[in-house]
Amino acid sequence: MSLKPRVVDFNSTWNKILETLKAVLTLDKIPRPVWNDRFSDVYALCVAFPEPLGERLYGEVKTFLEEHVKNLYEEVSSPNVDLLREYHHHWMQYSQGSAYMNLLFGYLNQHLKKQKQDYVEISPYTVPPYNHEAINIGPLALNIWKSTMIEPLKVTIVHHLLIEMKKDRDGEGTNQNIVHDTIKSFVGVQEYQTKGALGLYEKVFEREMLKETGEYYRREAAELMAENVCSVYIQKVDLRIQEEDLRARKFLHPVSYSRVIRECEAKMVEDYIPYLQAECRQMVREEKTTDLSRMYKLLKHIPRGLMVMVTELEQHVTETGLGKIKSVNFESGPFQYVDIMLDVHNKFTKLINTTFQGDSAFHAALDKACTTVVNYRHDPRRSSKSPELLAKYCDIVLKKSTKNLTDVELDEKLSEVIIIFKYIDDKDIFQKFYSKMLAKRLIHNLSVSMDAEEAMISRLKHACGYEYTNKLHRMFTDMSISLDLNSSFSDFLSNSSVDLGISFSLLVLQSGAWPLGQTSISPINIPQELIKPVQMFEQFYNGKFNGRKLNWLQHLSNGEVKVNYFKRPLILTVSTYQMVVLLLFNERTRLTYSEIEVQTQLIDKELVRIIQSLIDVKLLEKSEDEEMANSTFWINSNFTSKRTKLKITSAVQREAPQESEQTLVSVDEDRKMYLQAAIVRIMKSRKVLKHNSLIQEVISQSRARFTPNIPMIKKCIEALIEKQYLERKEGTKEEYTYVA
């Protein structure tokens, strides 16, 4: 075929095209050669000589489509016809045929588009040679269907569609394809539009459908409520909503899915919110997970629908946790305490994840409830025992024992500790107890492993930041430095040709990093065997570090002594204080209390503890029926042991009850210093600040470590005014000024 424009007989060419169009719109079979010839005919008319015939062709096609759809309308709207079935039949043919037509007249569409572009460029006063409002054949066919078929029949069609949907809701049979395709036709006739393609669907069908849906389920809800208790009601409502969701996906356009469900929820759930929320309390108390799960699904899309359920869960968790925690023996129950808290947390975490789909609002309620339980105070005048118990639990887990955990079990235990730790308000109290217990483990080499210790500190740092664990990290650094110092000291002794006569090693610890108070340390008369090592180390250390001062903490030291009093030699691991007492028996076999006191210089309270610890293990014997101060002591020559090495330091390493009180007192002092530093930091930045604003900022900065009380903050402000860091602004008592 030649592409060169030529003279074309329009009527004969149009008759051939018309015959093919009729076959296309009825989806009759068209031979491939005929179909190809029609493409050529359309092209020939559009480029005909001497004048293109595209506009005339467009007009004939439009007239044909209008007549064709008008005839279809007569068939669909005639009486005694199944309107939906007839409409569906003709629409499926027509919509598919119009798509083929759009392909057939592809060159005509391009021709019209080009002429539109050319028309824009010519003078507005020029008379256009064609209808510039013409659109492509495909959209034209659909527009004609919309104006000629849908507009006159829309009310009737929608009415029949709603009847079919009601039949489906009532369990009666309906033809899914007919209903779905008919509804889809409201969207299909505007599929070529880039904007507002769903306008007809939403305006003509969806609006009426949602109205009918709401009315149907309003009646349905009233009947179900009258006939059933709450648990059965929500079960049936949940089922109804699931059925409606499937129905929407079976019949409707995706844009309507959520809108239909929202209408169902409004009539069956939202209208009964007070009743449903009232029933939540008992369901939560009895932990009816199935009913709660259904209730959650019904309420989660309702504004503020879950509020009561969240509140009830928080209250239930709080009551459950407090009920269990009050039974804990705080003197000997770290494991019991942690097990109870983890049991409560894990139980309700699982309930939230399975019943409430892990909803963040319920997790927040669990966190709030656990915070209340963990920070519960048996005595309102004293701080919670939780930080101390959790620190003791860590100490037990991380300390060497006969039942050491595997690495996996240990890691799991430490992870569980952090779960509870995050809920503690007084994190500074935990830090104080933890650091004291860590110090004992490190000094006495009681840690199950240094890797486990460091892993725990890393977890604490991740939870609270580097500043929180700074001192703990410095403690580990000191342990490492001490190893190097001992090695250097050995080299110093070798170079000096000095023999100490004993094996001697020590730890050099920074006083600012280690919680090793010296207020209650007893003086001691160092035995002759230790004088030379102490003097040599001081000489070595002062030569290596100029200006540093060494304070010897003999009460934390220990050593090994070999005892030859018995049938076979015995090596005892004892504290330095115990060692001092035992070495006295090298000179004499029997000593009175006063003689021991004079030679050791230990205070009475400490000496009694030391002697009693040796008597308890039956290493010493004393005269009977006399007070300790009037007794005489001697080595028990009949002492026996199955082991050749025996450790008897545990008696003096146990924490005295008053140490806990001393720790809490030191926490209060630390808090005052922390608050004063925070106040100065804030005022230095702000220069002038009102009282209430200063209080709020201090609380905000302190919350990560502890929750300060207002009276303590006020006392700290007054202390800083006395120290002349702050002053009250002249003329007012409620505003402070920073004094540079």
Side-chain angles (χ1 to χ4, degrees):
M1 183 195 76
S2 174
L3 297 179
K4 183 177 180 181
R6 58 187 175 82
V7 177
V8 181
D9 184 349
F10 180 84
N11 289 331
S12 63
T13 304
W14 166 244
N15 287 334
K16 290 187 287 184
I17 293 175
L18 179 61
E19 184 179 351
T20 301
L21 284 183
K22 291 178 181 177
V24 167
L25 289 180
T26 55
L27 301 182
D28 288 342
K29 185 174 181 180
I30 301 174
R32 174 61 64 180
V34 173
W35 182 250
N36 291 336
D37 288 344
R38 295 298 83 81
F39 276 97
S40 300
D41 292 340
V42 170
Y43 173 79
L45 289 174
C46 290
V47 298
F49 180 83
E51 180 181 356
L53 300 173
E55 183 178 359
R56 184 177 174 186
L57 174 62
Y58 183 86
E60 291 292 344
V61 171
K62 181 178 180 183
T63 301
F64 165 71
L65 289 173
E66 289 173 343
E67 289 297 324
H68 179 75
V69 176
K70 187 175 181 181
N71 292 334
L72 296 180
Y73 168 75
E74 297 295 336
E75 293 182 24
V76 171
S77 60
S78 60
N80 301 322
V81 169
D82 187 339
L83 184 140
L84 288 184
R85 187 176 296 278
E86 196 71 18
Y87 176 91
H88 174 261
H89 170 70
H90 291 307
W91 162 250
M92 295 306 294
Q93 283 188 341
Y94 186 84
S95 60
Q96 191 172 350
S98 65
Y100 293 143
M101 282 179 59
N102 199 53
L103 295 174
L104 178 62
F105 290 99
Y107 190 80
L108 177 61
N109 292 336
Q110 294 179 16
H111 183 69
L112 295 173
K113 181 179 180 182
K114 182 176 183 303
Q115 286 197 346
K116 278 188 181 182
Q117 292 172 345
D118 294 343
Y119 175 65
V120 172
E121 297 174 0
I122 64 176
S123 167
Y125 300 105
T126 304
V127 178
Y130 73 107
N131 179 8
H132 67 276
E133 295 182 352
I135 59 176
N136 289 356
I137 297 300
L140 173 67
L142 296 178
N143 277 352
I144 291 172
W145 182 273
K146 175 184 172 183
S147 59
T148 307
M149 180 71 77
I150 292 181
E151 288 296 335
L153 287 175
K154 61 184 178 183
V155 175
T156 306
I157 292 174
V158 169
H159 176 69
H160 281 74
L161 288 172
L162 295 181
I163 289 175
E164 293 301 312
M165 290 186 69
K166 185 177 184 301
K167 286 182 180 179
D168 193 76
R169 288 184 181 124
D170 292 337
E172 300 177 22
T174 184
N175 192 312
Q176 176 182 335
N177 290 333
I178 290 178
V179 176
H180 174 267
D181 293 337
T182 301
I183 292 172
K184 189 179 177 181
S185 72
F186 292 116
V187 179
V189 294
Q190 298 188 140
E191 66 177 325
Y192 289 99
Q193 295 183 12
T194 55
K195 293 183 178 180
L198 298 176
L200 180 67
Y201 169 81
E202 292 174 334
K203 181 180 179 182
V204 172
F205 172 74
E206 188 187 62
R207 188 179 299 173
E208 292 299 318
M209 181 270 298
L210 291 177
K211 182 179 177 182
E212 175 65 23
T213 299
E215 184 61 27
Y216 180 89
Y217 283 109
R218 184 189 63 77
R219 296 191 300 268
E220 178 82 358
E223 293 175 4
L224 292 175
M225 181 61 69
E227 297 171 0
N228 301 284
V229 296
C230 182
S231 60
V232 178
Y233 174 79
I234 61 175
Q235 180 180 353
K236 292 188 175 182
V237 167
D238 182 39
L239 182 60
R240 280 310 227 173
I241 290 177
Q242 290 181 41
E243 291 173 351
E244 191 63 30
D245 183 55
L246 290 174
R247 188 172 296 110
R249 297 174 189 280
K250 185 167 63 174
F251 292 142
L252 307 178
H253 187 273
V255 75
S256 298
Y257 295 169
S258 60
R259 297 171 184 174
V260 170
I261 299 305
R262 181 71 188 88
E263 192 66 30
C264 293
E265 291 173 340
K267 296 299 184 288
M268 303 191 82
V269 181
E270 194 167 357
D271 289 352
Y272 296 92
I273 279 286
Y275 169 74
L276 296 176
Q277 290 181 337
E279 293 293 320
C280 283
R281 181 180 181 84
Q282 193 62 27
M283 290 182 183
V284 171
R285 290 291 180 274
E286 297 177 7
E287 298 177 16
K288 294 181 177 179
T289 54
T290 304
D291 288 344
L292 286 173
S293 180
R294 291 196 184 103
M295 185 75 82
Y296 170 77
K297 287 172 62 179
L298 297 180
L299 296 179
K300 68 178 178 179
H301 298 303
I302 308 300
R304 300 176 66 82
L306 295 175
M307 181 177 62
V308 171
M309 189 180 288
V310 170
T311 304
E312 290 297 339
L313 179 72
E314 179 187 335
Q315 187 174 347
H316 178 56
V317 175
T318 302
E319 291 175 359
T320 302
L322 289 178
K324 292 185 176 182
I325 213 74
K326 289 176 182 178
S327 64
V328 174
N329 181 353
F330 284 98
E331 297 302 322
S332 58
F335 266 94
Q336 184 188 9
Y337 164 77
V338 171
D339 288 344
I340 285 175
M341 281 309 308
L342 288 175
D343 179 60
V344 171
H345 183 272
N346 294 338
K347 172 186 175 182
F348 287 104
T349 297
K350 182 179 179 182
L351 184 143
I352 290 169
N353 289 335
T354 56
T355 304
F356 304 126
Q357 301 175 11
D359 194 303
S360 58
F362 289 91
H363 277 297
L366 174 62
D367 290 342
K368 194 173 178 181
C370 287
T371 300
T372 302
V373 175
V374 167
N375 296 289
Y376 173 74
R377 300 184 178 190
H378 285 72
D379 185 349
R381 296 167 298 179
R382 300 170 64 86
S383 59
S384 170
K385 282 283 187 180
S386 295
E388 182 181 352
L389 284 172
L390 193 61
K392 288 181 177 178
Y393 177 84
C394 293
D395 186 53
I396 296 170
V397 170
L398 291 168
K399 189 182 290 184
K400 289 179 182 176
S401 69
T402 55
K403 298 180 180 179
N404 284 336
L405 302 171
T406 65
D407 290 342
V408 174
E409 291 173 334
L410 184 59
D411 188 66
E412 183 180 340
K413 293 287 185 185
L414 297 181
S415 297
E416 291 172 345
V417 166
I418 297 299
I419 292 174
I420 302 174
F421 172 76
K422 288 180 178 179
Y423 294 122
I424 291 177
D425 285 340
D426 298 326
K427 290 183 171 60
D428 56 335
I429 296 180
F430 173 88
Q431 182 196 43
K432 186 68 71 173
F433 278 104
Y434 185 88
S435 62
K436 288 187 68 174
M437 295 171 188
L438 173 63
K440 288 185 177 181
R441 293 197 299 274
L442 294 178
I443 291 172
H444 298 294
N445 193 26
L446 297 174
S447 291
V448 66
S449 81
M450 297 303 286
D451 288 341
E453 295 283 6
E454 291 179 358
M456 182 61 194
I457 293 174
S458 295
R459 285 182 168 88
L460 294 174
K461 181 172 71 173
H462 182 73
C464 293
Y466 176 76
E467 183 184 352
Y468 186 81
T469 57
N470 184 28
K471 289 185 178 180
L472 304 181
H473 282 295
R474 286 161 61 189
M475 290 164 70
F476 277 91
T477 302
D478 285 351
M479 296 297 291
S480 177
I481 292 174
S482 294
L483 290 175
D484 295 336
L485 279 174
N486 279 301
S487 178
S488 299
F489 181 53
S490 297
D491 294 339
F492 170 77
L493 294 175
S494 298
N495 295 334
S496 303
S497 300
V498 176
D499 183 12
L500 299 180
I502 62 172
S503 177
F504 179 81
S505 64
L506 46 78
L507 300 172
V508 179
L509 313 175
Q510 302 176 64
S511 59
W514 293 73
L516 306 173
Q518 301 183 33
T519 54
S520 61
I521 298 176
S522 170
I524 184 174
N525 187 15
I526 299 177
Q528 190 65 37
E529 291 84 350
L530 295 179
I531 291 177
K532 185 177 180 180
V534 169
Q535 290 176 343
M536 290 303 298
F537 186 81
E538 287 182 342
Q539 180 184 339
F540 158 76
Y541 192 81
N542 292 331
K544 191 175 181 66
F545 302 102
N546 186 27
R548 293 188 183 180
K549 181 183 178 182
L550 285 175
N551 292 317
W552 294 85
L553 304 180
Q554 303 288 0
H555 67 296
L556 296 175
S557 305
N558 58 56
E560 290 185 351
V561 294
K562 186 175 182 180
V563 184
N564 296 313
Y565 281 88
F566 313 123
K567 294 179 181 179
R568 60 175 181 170
L570 184 67
I571 297 176
L572 300 178
T573 301
V574 292
S575 71
T576 304
Y577 286 0
Q578 291 170 324
M579 184 190 301
V580 170
V581 173
L582 289 174
L583 289 175
L584 297 178
F585 290 93
N586 280 333
E587 304 297 329
R588 295 172 58 184
T589 56
R590 301 175 72 90
L591 291 167
T592 64
Y593 180 86
S594 58
E595 289 172 335
I596 295 174
E597 186 175 28
V598 170
Q599 293 188 56
T600 61
Q601 297 296 307
L602 288 169
I603 61 174
D604 185 69
K605 180 180 177 182
E606 193 66 41
L607 182 57
V608 170
R609 284 182 59 202
I610 297 303
I611 294 175
Q612 189 61 51
S613 69
L614 297 172
I615 292 174
D616 288 342
V617 296
K618 299 181 181 180
L619 194 61
L620 286 185
E621 292 186 328
K622 76 179 185 72
S623 52
E624 296 180 0
D625 302 326
E626 294 182 12
E627 294 287 335
M628 181 75 77
N630 300 321
S631 297
T632 301
F633 306 93
W634 60 91
I635 298 291
N636 177 16
S637 58
N638 296 321
F639 180 85
T640 58
S641 174
K642 294 180 180 179
R643 293 176 290 181
T644 57
K645 287 188 175 183
L646 185 64
K647 185 176 181 179
I648 58 172
T649 56
S650 58
V652 292
Q653 288 178 7
R654 283 199 302 266
E655 182 176 322
Q658 63 270 24
E659 284 190 43
S660 177
E661 294 299 324
Q662 292 173 359
T663 302
L664 294 175
V665 170
S666 69
V667 168
D668 276 341
E669 294 302 317
D670 289 346
R671 285 183 175 182
K672 290 175 184 176
M673 297 305 297
Y674 184 89
L675 291 175
Q676 289 184 28
I679 293 167
V680 170
R681 190 165 53 245
I682 292 166
M683 291 302 301
K684 189 174 183 179
S685 171
R686 305 291 291 276
K687 305 302 182 187
V688 178
L689 203 59
K690 289 187 177 180
H691 176 79
N692 288 339
S693 298
L694 178 58
I695 294 289
Q696 290 304 315
E697 290 205 32
V698 171
I699 291 174
S700 177
Q701 288 196 15
S702 306
R703 189 172 288 120
R705 292 178 65 89
F706 63 98
T707 304
N709 55 56
I710 305 300
M712 181 179 285
I713 299 176
K714 289 180 178 179
K715 288 180 181 179
C716 291
I717 293 173
E718 294 298 330
L720 290 172
I721 291 174
E722 291 180 8
K723 295 176 183 178
Q724 298 184 350
Y725 282 94
L726 311 178
E727 65 180 13
R728 286 187 172 86
K729 192 173 182 180
E730 192 173 341
T732 177
K733 293 183 178 181
E734 294 296 318
E735 201 164 6
Y736 305 106
T737 304
Y738 177 70
V739 180

